[in-house]
Amino acid sequence: MQEPAITQPTNPQLIILTQNLRKEFDGTPVVQDVNLAVPQGKIFGFIGPSGCGKTTTVRLLVGTYQPTSGEVTVLGRQPRQFRRHEREKIGYMPQQFVLYPDLTVRQNLNFAASLYGLGWRERRTHLREMLDLVELTEHRDKIAQNISGGMQRRLSLASTLMHKPSLLFLDEPTAGIDPVLRRKFWDYFRVLQKRGQTLFITTQYVGEAAYCDYVGVMSRGRLLTVDSPEGLRRKAMGGDVILMQLTGTLPMEKWFSLQELPFITGQVYPVGDNTWRMVVADASVALPELVAWTQSAHLEVVSMREDQPSFDDVFLQLMQNEEENSAQ
Amino acid sequence: MLSNILRAVTRIWAFISKEGAEILHQPRLLLTLIIGPFLILLLFGLGYRDEPRVLRTLFVVPEGSPVEGWIEDYMSQFEDRLEFVGITHDPQEADRRLRAQDVDLVVVTPDDPEAEINNNEQAVFTLYHYEIDPYEEAYVRVIGRAYTDELNEEVLTLVAEQGKVEAESLQEDTALALGSVSSMRQAIEQGDIAAANSSREELQNSLAFLRLATGSSLAFLGAIEQTTGAPVDSEAQLILTQLTDLQTKIDTLNALDLNATDFSDELALAEEIETELTEVDTLLTNFRSVDSEVLVSPFRSEVVSVTTVILQPIHFFVPAVISLLLQHTAVTIAALSLVRERRSGAMELFRASPVSSFETLTGKYISHFFLTVLLATILTLLIVYLLKVPLLGDWWEYGLVIAALIFTSLGIGFNLSLSARTDSQAVQSSMVFLLTSIFFTGFFLALYRFWWPVRLISWLLPATYSTTLLQNVMLRGQEMALPLILALTGIGALLFLLAWYRLKRMMASE
């Protein structure tokens, strides 16, 4: 029998690899030029606004869609050529609640586990464990349609985890749930990561990027950038951001000389209340030098600290950068 | 290998248990599925009445017609089929009442039936109706024919009775003729030729009178017997033939020559005439003893069924109703099954999981099969033990037919499901399929009534096979016809393969 073509990643640690991945529907590109490399055991966050192509990308990765062009390799094999044992290693949580509203929590979990061929004993053990993990043990005999939306999301997650997959694709698992539960979900994901599972998570909540090891930012079908959350922040802002508050105003000539300092990489501008914001290459290097400069300039400093802009700001900045690049 | 098989079985079981649990969590649905069909049958059984329709009948009789006198009495013979509403002399009033559906039938009697018959014409009773249902129209025609047949029979019976009265007087004349021929023969033997001649003349006179008195009734009856195909040697015919023969013989009996010495020929002829007159007398006695109804209607038919039980009209419909109900249930459940998975997004989950199209379909087939079998079992027990519908054949064969019906119907349902995009489309498809089945499975129109290409459609429907098979097994106690059960199962197998192929394509990557 002919062995199907396998695109083995050069780095065996890379569990997902795509090259120029493209998907069109009726000639309209929905995903284009997506290049991804996801290492094993990491949480990969896939962030972008609604309709940007996140779900399509996930479907390409789990094999329910075939790419129009480009290459995709998951677990060392093209998804459309997945064999049973490879599918058994994958867990997929769709965006919508697709379980059965007329079944109980336990019956839904049993069904999901049985789809992956888990025997009765395994199911029983896993069921208990997953119910504990998502805190649904008390609700196990409730009909799924009678539990809250948050519980339904937890049930979906538990059913995805029942067969203990090594690679998880979670399509907007935190969409439409309250911040407390969202936080809880990310706690679960950390637990799973510690167990060695790789998680590919899409989300509309930019702030959730902070919980990921790597973040891919998607916009209008294109992957803008992939980096660590910190790297992403630096990329968006052009470096680290420092906030400096003085007791008085900053004279104009000193403002100009501050901008001329070698460690300042971006603009220096006031943000109110005698506070100035500046972008530096590396905050840990820049901060002592900035202190020295204020002393030499006879400026009295109230506070000086590195600022962590929110990922909302980071995301907006990235979008803005993208628009500027497109315009050029 | 074993592990793979066990995992496949587990995946199939996932669907079986899931579908079962979903049904069990909807007790109302379960109750509707079981009780609903039984109630339909029960209502059908209670409501169906095998009684002929009584037609409200109005007679239009011309004023002064002799018919008017005997219509009401005569109608009493038809009171189970015709309700006598009245007699009118106004045809327009009758027409108005018929169109207003105040009456069902208007019978216009002939003006003067006796005169028409005497003119060698049939007297016509015209029956008017306002039916649009072809079956009701046929019923009116049958009633009309039965009515005139009965009338004709009645008239003939009256004629026969009259004939018997005439036969009695004929017998008296025959006795006289016999006396004359006997006297003639004795006179010849004694050589008293003058007395013999006297007796011969008496004989010729009495026979001429006999011929004359044969009677119009007897002659009429003889003619009727000929036209109705009665045996050539029927009583009236024989009497008429015998009398004609006698006349010929007596005509040859010339006056005896007083000078002649040898009268052996005349003696022999007299003996023959005597014998034949005795036969005529016997025939007349026989004729009088025969029942007039037998004379008028010498033949009748009797219909005897060779089935071992008395079947009620509802019994005939039960196999068809069971077939249609089970087929519809199986088709609808299956039609909704896959389309719901698609609509809910569960199909996407299956596509990403290791479950195959074969496992998905098999699991669903098995779960729906057992659910419908459970329904069929309860329905059958209720029908047989509560409604007392006979199940004369083998229970296993009955079960096999039901199993084949459900299997094939599920195949239709799954294929409909794979074509439908929404629940309502699936339900509509199954309803259209039910309608097709009601018309073409022989439920209320026998298959032979259809043009042969349409009959091919009938034989594509599972209920056509199961109705025929169940009627034979349940009501005739026959063994099931192997070609039919094989054909039904074969269609089921083809539908399974088709559904598998289509589901496989659906579950493949887009």
Side-chain angles (χ1 to χ4, degrees):
Chain A
M1 197 171 74
Q2 196 181 344
E3 192 71 14
I6 298 174
T7 313
Q8 183 65 43
T10 47
N11 182 347
Q13 297 297 309
L14 294 179
I15 205 163
I16 299 170
L17 190 70
T18 70
Q19 287 174 338
N20 301 322
L21 189 61
R22 182 182 180 90
K23 178 69 180 174
E24 292 177 2
F25 290 110
D26 300 324
T28 307
V30 177
V31 168
Q32 47 190 325
D33 303 326
V34 171
N35 294 294
L36 275 177
V38 179
Q40 195 171 1
K42 301 292 181 190
I43 297 178
F44 188 94
F46 206 52
I47 295 174
S50 179
C52 71
K54 300 189 296 292
T55 298
T56 304
T57 307
V58 171
R59 286 176 176 168
L60 286 163
L61 296 178
V62 296
T64 60
Y65 282 168
Q66 280 189 49
T68 307
S69 63
E71 291 290 326
V72 55
T73 310
V74 176
L75 296 168
R77 189 180 289 273
Q78 291 177 30
R80 64 181 169 190
Q81 291 171 341
F82 273 157
R83 292 174 178 175
R84 278 220 166 113
H85 72 272
E86 279 134 2
R87 290 204 182 279
E88 283 167 2
K89 288 180 186 167
I90 292 174
Y92 172 45
M93 179 179 166
Q95 201 170 332
Q96 304 295 327
F97 178 74
V98 297
L99 295 171
Y100 297 94
D102 293 323
L103 299 188
T104 63
V105 168
R106 182 167 34 192
Q107 284 166 338
N108 267 304
L109 291 176
N110 263 320
F111 173 69
S114 301
L115 285 183
Y116 287 81
L118 260 68
W120 180 74
R121 281 176 194 279
E122 277 176 296
R123 283 207 303 271
R124 203 171 64 155
T125 318
H126 291 200
L127 184 80
R128 207 174 297 145
E129 199 179 319
M130 289 307 133
L131 284 170
D132 284 346
L133 179 73
V134 297
E135 298 169 44
L136 283 175
T137 307
E138 285 177 23
H139 308 283
R140 63 185 181 276
D141 292 323
K142 285 186 179 167
I143 301 289
Q145 66 187 344
N146 296 339
I147 60 176
S148 68
M151 285 182 186
Q152 287 181 347
R153 295 304 286 167
R154 280 188 272 162
L155 172 60
S156 287
L157 178 65
S159 69
T160 311
L161 301 174
M162 275 295 282
H163 62 288
K164 298 200 170 170
S166 57
L167 173 60
L168 278 159
F169 290 95
L170 309 175
D171 194 5
E172 301 204 15
T174 55
I177 57 176
D178 64 81
V180 178
L181 190 59
R182 270 161 55 192
R183 182 61 197 247
K184 220 169 220 178
F185 262 54
W186 283 99
D187 290 343
Y188 298 149
F189 300 154
R190 279 284 165 214
V191 171
L192 297 173
Q193 188 200 14
K194 279 179 189 160
R195 289 177 181 173
Q197 288 166 296
T198 309
L199 291 93
F200 188 99
I201 303 168
T202 73
T203 179
Q204 287 183 48
Y205 300 114
V206 178
E208 291 180 347
Y211 306 124
C212 303
D213 296 313
Y214 295 100
V215 178
V217 179
M218 190 96 175
S219 174
R220 286 181 281 192
R222 288 179 189 276
L223 187 62
L224 302 183
T225 184
V226 178
D227 212 327
S228 64
E230 197 51 39
L232 210 61
R233 188 180 279 132
R234 292 164 67 89
K235 200 177 274 180
M237 300 298 167
D240 292 340
V241 177
I242 290 176
L243 284 178
M244 177 179 74
Q245 190 180 18
L246 303 174
T247 51
T249 56
L250 181 67
M252 191 66 79
E253 70 277 6
K254 288 187 177 166
W255 182 4
F256 290 142
S257 63
L258 177 61
Q259 276 194 321
E260 295 302 313
L261 291 173
F263 52 85
I264 301 290
T265 55
Q267 282 192 329
V268 178
Y269 53 94
V271 288
D273 196 21
N274 294 330
T275 305
W276 295 81
R277 192 172 190 271
M278 61 207 77
V279 178
V280 298
D282 186 343
S284 58
V285 175
L287 275 171
E289 297 208 19
L290 190 60
V291 170
W293 177 80
T294 53
Q295 286 170 352
S296 65
H298 306 290
L299 294 169
E300 205 169 322
V301 177
V302 178
S303 67
M304 190 184 292
R305 61 181 173 85
E306 186 185 350
D307 181 41
Q308 296 282 329
S310 73
F311 274 99
D312 287 335
D313 293 336
V314 170
F315 186 73
L316 284 173
Q317 188 61 51
L318 283 170
M319 295 286 129
Q320 200 177 323
N321 294 348
E322 166 66 11
E323 275 177 23
E324 283 168 9
N325 289 340
S326 301
Q328 283 169 10
Chain B
M1 178 69 179
L2 185 66
S3 161
N4 284 341
I5 292 170
L6 281 175
R7 281 175 174 262
V9 170
T10 305
R11 283 189 281 265
I12 291 170
W13 178 251
F15 287 98
I16 299 172
S17 57
K18 188 265 284 183
E19 302 283 349
E22 273 190 310
I23 293 289
L24 287 175
H25 285 148
Q26 301 174 70
R28 275 190 201 165
L29 172 69
L30 201 62
L31 208 65
T32 312
L33 283 175
I34 292 169
I35 300 298
F38 174 71
L39 283 180
I40 292 170
L41 266 175
L42 186 68
L43 272 176
F44 183 69
L46 290 175
Y48 186 84
R49 288 282 174 270
D50 186 34
E51 290 168 358
R53 182 183 166 196
V54 179
L55 298 169
R56 295 163 299 169
T57 309
L58 177 68
F59 284 84
V60 179
V61 181
E63 270 189 87
S65 168
V67 176
E68 190 169 349
W70 50 263
I71 276 184
E72 202 167 345
D73 289 341
Y74 181 66
M75 274 295 293
S76 61
Q77 295 179 37
F78 288 92
E79 63 187 3
D80 58 332
R81 279 166 288 173
L82 299 177
E83 180 194 335
F84 180 66
V85 173
I87 294 172
T88 177
H89 303 304
D90 181 4
Q92 285 181 339
E93 188 209 338
D95 184 74
R96 185 188 55 74
R97 291 184 69 180
L98 184 64
R99 286 175 196 276
Q101 298 180 48
D102 187 23
V103 294
D104 303 313
L105 192 64
V106 169
V107 179
V108 179
T109 63
D111 288 349
D112 187 354
E114 201 177 333
E116 286 178 42
I117 292 166
N118 287 339
N119 279 341
N120 201 24
E121 288 173 4
Q122 284 184 311
V124 179
F125 285 78
T126 312
L127 278 66
Y128 291 91
H129 68 83
Y130 197 42
E131 299 297 333
I132 51 169
D133 181 342
Y135 289 97
E136 292 299 329
E137 192 182 340
Y139 179 71
V140 171
R141 284 181 195 284
V142 169
I143 289 286
R145 195 172 300 137
Y147 175 80
T148 44
D149 285 352
E150 194 78 21
L151 200 60
N152 285 334
E153 201 175 309
E154 186 80 4
V155 170
L156 286 174
T157 308
L158 283 171
V159 171
E161 289 297 326
Q162 185 60 37
K164 282 184 188 175
V165 175
E166 287 170 0
E168 192 180 353
S169 121
L170 272 175
Q171 260 189 312
E172 288 167 12
D173 296 336
T174 308
L176 282 174
L178 257 174
S180 301
V181 78
S182 180
S183 304
M184 178 189 159
R185 184 176 48 76
Q186 283 171 10
I188 292 172
E189 281 170 355
Q190 289 164 6
D192 186 355
I193 303 306
N197 267 331
S198 169
S199 296
R200 184 189 67 86
E201 278 172 20
E202 278 174 19
L203 175 64
Q204 278 183 328
N205 287 338
S206 58
L207 201 68
F209 181 72
L210 191 65
R211 281 273 296 161
L212 206 65
T214 298
S216 55
S217 303
L218 203 60
F220 182 64
L221 265 179
I224 293 291
E225 282 176 352
Q226 270 191 326
T227 52
T228 55
V232 180
D233 56 352
S234 70
E235 301 295 340
Q237 276 292 316
L238 281 173
I239 292 166
L240 291 169
T241 313
Q242 203 78 303
L243 285 174
T244 311
D245 192 36
L246 269 170
Q247 185 62 51
T248 314
K249 284 179 177 159
I250 290 167
D251 286 346
T252 58
L253 196 63
N254 298 320
L256 300 174
D257 186 357
L258 294 173
N259 299 322
T261 53
D262 184 12
F263 294 102
S264 58
D265 287 347
E266 284 78 1
L267 259 177
L269 196 57
E271 278 173 11
E272 273 181 41
I273 290 168
E274 199 175 358
T275 310
E276 286 191 18
L277 276 170
T278 310
E279 284 171 5
V280 166
D281 185 60
T282 310
L283 284 170
L284 285 168
T285 307
N286 287 346
F287 174 71
R288 286 175 61 200
S289 67
V290 176
D291 190 336
S292 300
E293 283 191 15
V294 175
L295 281 172
V296 169
S297 304
F299 299 110
R300 73 182 174 91
S301 59
E302 279 182 4
V303 179
V304 181
S305 172
V306 294
T307 53
T308 50
V309 293
I310 298 166
L311 296 174
Q312 305 298 322
I314 185 194
H315 294 165
F316 171 75
F317 291 105
V318 165
V321 174
I322 292 176
S323 296
L324 283 176
L325 285 173
L326 291 180
Q327 180 190 274
H328 181 61
T329 307
V331 167
T332 309
I333 292 175
L336 285 169
S337 176
L338 284 170
V339 78
R340 278 193 178 157
E341 308 282 19
R342 275 165 69 192
R343 296 277 295 164
S344 71
M347 194 60 81
E348 194 185 343
L349 208 64
F350 302 160
R351 288 156 92 186
S353 76
V355 73
S356 70
S357 53
F358 179 80
E359 290 159 352
T360 306
L361 195 64
T362 306
K364 284 183 172 286
Y365 252 91
I366 293 173
S367 63
H368 295 329
F369 179 81
F370 279 111
L371 170 71
T372 324
V373 162
L374 173 72
L375 164 71
T377 308
I378 297 171
L379 189 63
T380 304
L381 292 175
L382 289 171
I383 286 169
V384 173
Y385 291 108
L386 217 66
L387 293 184
K388 304 288 180 194
V389 175
L391 202 162
L392 304 175
D394 189 291
W395 276 83
W396 286 109
E397 290 194 354
Y398 173 85
L400 205 61
V401 175
I402 295 289
L405 166 71
I406 293 170
F407 171 64
T408 310
S409 303
L410 287 174
I412 288 163
F414 282 120
N415 278 286
L416 290 178
S417 192
L418 285 160
S419 304
R421 291 183 179 276
T422 60
D423 282 10
S424 55
Q425 271 184 16
V427 171
Q428 279 166 8
S429 309
S430 64
M431 287 308 291
V432 169
F433 193 76
L434 174 67
L435 269 179
T436 315
S437 302
I438 288 172
F439 278 103
F440 298 112
T441 52
F443 179 57
F444 67 85
L445 281 177
L447 293 182
Y448 74 85
R449 289 185 182 275
F450 294 112
W451 184 39
W452 69 265
V454 178
R455 243 179 287 160
L456 289 180
I457 295 173
S458 296
W459 288 108
L460 289 174
L461 305 167
T464 307
Y465 293 88
S466 60
T467 301
T468 311
L469 284 162
L470 289 181
Q471 279 172 349
N472 287 337
V473 172
M474 288 180 80
L475 307 180
R476 291 197 173 102
Q478 287 182 342
E479 286 181 9
M480 64 178 176
L482 201 60
L484 286 184
I485 193 83
L486 286 177
L488 179 60
T489 317
I491 292 172
L494 284 175
L495 287 168
F496 176 85
L497 292 175
L498 182 64
W500 180 20
Y501 170 74
R502 294 178 68 192
L503 184 63
K504 198 171 180 176
R505 284 188 60 182
M506 184 187 281
M507 287 177 72
S509 299
E510 287 176 29

